[in-house]
Amino acid sequence: MPEGPETELTRLTVVCGVDRMAAAGVAAALRARHTSTAVLVTHDMRALGEGVVRRRVVEDDGEHDAVLELAHACVSCTLREDLLPLLVRLARDPDVAHVVLLLDPGVEVEATCEALHGLVPEGLDRPVTDLFAVRGVVAVLDAATWLDDAGSDDALVERGLALTADDERTVAQIVVGQAEFADVLVVGGRCAGTWDRVRLDAVLDRLAPRARQVTVVDGPGEGREAEIAARVDGLLDDLPGDARRGVPDDAQVSLLRGQPPLARDAGVSLLHIGHRRPFHPERLHAAIDVLLHGTIRVRGRVWVASQPEHVLWLESAGGALQIGVAGTWFAADPTAWDDADDERRAAASLSWHERWGDREQQLVALVHDADPGGARRGPRRRAAHRRGAGPRRGRLASPPRPVRAAAHRPVPRPRLRPRHRRGEPSRRGVGMSDTVGFTAVHCGAAGCPHHQRPAPDAEAVGDALRGAVRRCPHGVLVRASCLTATACGHGTAPVGAGALVLVQPCDHERMPTRPAVMAGPLHEPADVDDLCSWLAAGAADPLPPHLDAVSPPGR
């Protein structure tokens, strides 16, 4: 568990919020409370797509602005090339006792803190957070809009918050992540009515049960920043010993940490879904719409029958979903036992199954506008229904060894970009089983030989596919690594051969209607246009013959 702040280290407070002015006001007020020893650091990334980041450092002698021109327009370059060296310099400055780090609204706070804890700056042999006593994370929320934003499908680019033109993240991912990761929530403004405020409080109590809250009826921008900063300072100084303080959770952490209320309140429920059968891959795909409908957050560990050795981490916010590998089950990799922490080993020992070991479904859904029973039953109904389904029959999984102390090397939660976004209501009748949509998987690796000239590059193909998917109510686009990774890894893929796109046609419930097809290679822009026209029409017709040159594995 994170320890409390150490007085001999420079203190660090992280401030975030999608309302740029409100978050900036709170951050400035926090610095102003310690004027002679505090520094405010912020990076404006609104021009990141052009390779430009504007840095502002506010000290007692005034504001110092700098324009940074980056070779690669990305957040990681800003962290590595500017923020980390700057924090090291400030930590070593004897005149600086407190640093307030204000994040750009488009930057994910958990990913930033994970980088601060994991990246080692040049000239150091340890992460930069070892030089600071991290006081905590402060998230500034707008009471009038937060709940709508948290359940929405709106993309950041639609709100002017995207860092680059091809930023596919949603507003829900940002606002939910900020509130969930915060130690102190500054909730400003008024809800439309008393009932809306009750629902907002019910959601926040379950999403961030360990967070302290400062409520400001008039909002942070009404000249009350000094009063808010004083209250925030007091709460940060009084955080309990198990407060997060900017330390990211790994994928095996308890899903109910902080003991959130489980009772239903104002239509808001926190559902814990545990099941001892694996998901069938296609049924998990079909369950996505159930998991996303009417929910603020779904997160947890998933066991899929086709990957019995892998722990999959599933996480959604509003209408956006990301999923990826987050380690292995003990039953599949006994060596992982020594690398796990005591909490995970104890949990596995208590729930160990003589056949499946520690494999199980563990999901928590924060529901605010859905039938809780449907949210609970949907994933269970889509688990593999045969009693023998699961890992291959044969040798029984041996039980774990007794719990003992060992070095804790947490498995980080995956940070992937593939996601599912809820589509518009279907224009076709419910219950129809014909093709109305698809899932398209394309290679997003810029260095892949298939994308090199004379073929269209990865960015051009991705932009065109995104446009086609937006025109299809039931289209889903997933960006992955190269679909012929073996050929690329051995250097046998022809340079400039053209991208491949795997397309799975499906019905309104996202159940496959026919075998998947591999479209491509996309030799020239005309091939990309033809594929996009086929996808925009719903992928119901056969693939154009000149694009059906490759068959997927196993077909």
Side-chain angles (χ1 to χ4, degrees), residues 319-382:
L321 175 80
Q322 48 193 5
I323 186 170
V325 176
T328 58
W329 300 106
F330 286 151
D333 180 14
T335 62
W337 184 268
D338 293 329
D339 295 334
D341 64 357
D342 292 342
E343 184 176 349
R344 183 188 175 190
R345 290 200 297 268
S349 298
L350 290 171
S351 63
W352 194 265
H353 188 279
E354 65 176 4
R355 181 168 188 175
W356 309 133
D358 59 326
R359 299 182 182 97
E360 61 180 337
Q361 314 291 352
Q362 286 289 338
L363 292 170
V364 169
L366 178 52
V367 179
H368 79 110
D369 189 23
D371 170 25
R376 188 188 300 273
R377 291 189 301 269
R380 287 186 173 180
R381 286 177 174 173
R382 287 165 172 81

Side-chain angles (χ1 to χ4, degrees), residues 420-440:
H420 170 94
R421 293 185 62 190
R422 288 196 298 262
E424 301 169 4
S426 175
R427 296 183 178 90
R428 310 179 76 142
V430 175
M432 298 182 67
S433 60
D434 54 332
T435 299
V436 297
F438 57 85
T439 297

Side-chain angles (χ1 to χ4, degrees), residues 155-421:
L156 290 177
V157 68
E158 298 169 6
R159 300 281 191 91
L161 298 174
L163 298 181
T164 59
D166 61 349
D167 192 341
E168 298 177 340
R169 295 172 301 155
T170 64
V171 176
Q173 285 178 275
I174 297 295
V175 300
V176 172
Q178 289 174 347
E180 183 179 53
F181 196 70
D183 296 292
V184 176
L185 299 173
V186 178
V187 184
R190 300 174 183 269
C191 292
T194 303
W195 181 247
D196 295 314
R197 181 66 204 213
V198 171
R199 284 171 51 79
L200 173 63
D201 289 340
V203 169
L204 293 178
D205 287 346
R206 288 156 178 78
L207 180 66
R210 290 182 290 177
R212 306 296 180 87
Q213 190 172 137
V214 175
T215 302
V216 187
V217 176
D218 296 328
E222 300 295 329
R224 301 182 59 187
E225 286 86 354
E227 175 190 344
I228 296 171
R231 294 169 64 186
V232 170
D233 250 345
L235 292 176
L236 288 174
D237 289 338
D238 195 34
L239 288 178
D242 64 345
R244 188 192 292 268
R245 285 194 175 92
V247 178
D249 287 331
D250 66 36
Q252 297 295 339
V253 72
S254 169
L255 300 178
L256 296 174
R257 179 165 289 189
Q259 299 181 343
L262 299 179
R264 187 175 175 87
D265 182 15
V268 177
S269 301
L270 190 64
L271 305 178
H272 179 239
I273 303 168
H275 202 47
R276 218 59 204 247
R277 292 182 182 178
F279 272 119
H280 186 287
E282 292 181 357
R283 292 191 177 94
L284 174 60
H285 190 201
I288 287 176
D289 282 336
V290 176
L291 291 172
L292 298 186
H293 177 68
T295 60
I296 294 292
R297 179 64 122 187
V298 179
R299 59 197 297 268
R301 296 174 289 274
V302 176
W303 169 25
V304 177
S306 60
Q307 299 189 46
E309 70 279 10
H310 290 141
V311 180
L312 300 185
W313 177 264
L314 181 148
E315 183 173 288
S316 77
L321 175 80
Q322 48 193 5
I323 186 170
V325 176
T328 58
W329 300 106
F330 286 151
D333 180 14
T335 62
W337 184 268
D338 293 329
D339 295 334
D341 64 357
D342 292 342
E343 184 176 349
R344 183 188 175 190
R345 290 200 297 268
S349 298
L350 290 171
S351 63
W352 194 265
H353 188 279
E354 65 176 4
R355 181 168 188 175
W356 309 133
D358 59 326
R359 299 182 182 97
E360 61 180 337
Q361 314 291 352
Q362 286 289 338
L363 292 170
V364 169
L366 178 52
V367 179
H368 79 110
D369 189 23
D371 170 25
R376 188 188 300 273
R377 291 189 301 269
R380 287 186 173 180
R381 286 177 174 173
R382 287 165 172 81
H385 59 280
R386 294 184 296 106
R387 293 184 63 85
R392 225 170 15 184
R393 298 190 182 202
R395 189 175 62 235
L396 296 182
S398 58
R401 289 171 283 172
V403 175
R404 60 181 177 82
H408 177 203
R409 286 183 278 177
V411 178
R413 282 162 41 191
R415 300 214 157 269
L416 309 177
R417 287 296 159 244
R419 62 178 50 83
H420 170 94
R421 293 185 62 190

Side-chain angles (χ1 to χ4, degrees), residues 29-54:
L30 284 172
R31 191 209 73 85
R33 285 181 53 80
H34 313 274
T35 51
S36 61
T37 59
V39 175
L40 170 63
V41 176
T42 184
H43 290 80
D44 187 336
M45 298 190 179
R46 282 176 284 191
L48 183 64
E50 303 168 10
V52 176
V53 173
R54 292 175 172 82

Side-chain angles (χ1 to χ4, degrees), residues 454-457 461 496-499 521-531 546-547:
D457 60 27
V461 173
L522 305 179
H523 294 294
E524 55 190 25
D527 294 333
V528 179
D529 293 340
D530 291 342
L531 175 61
H546 65 287
L547 297 179

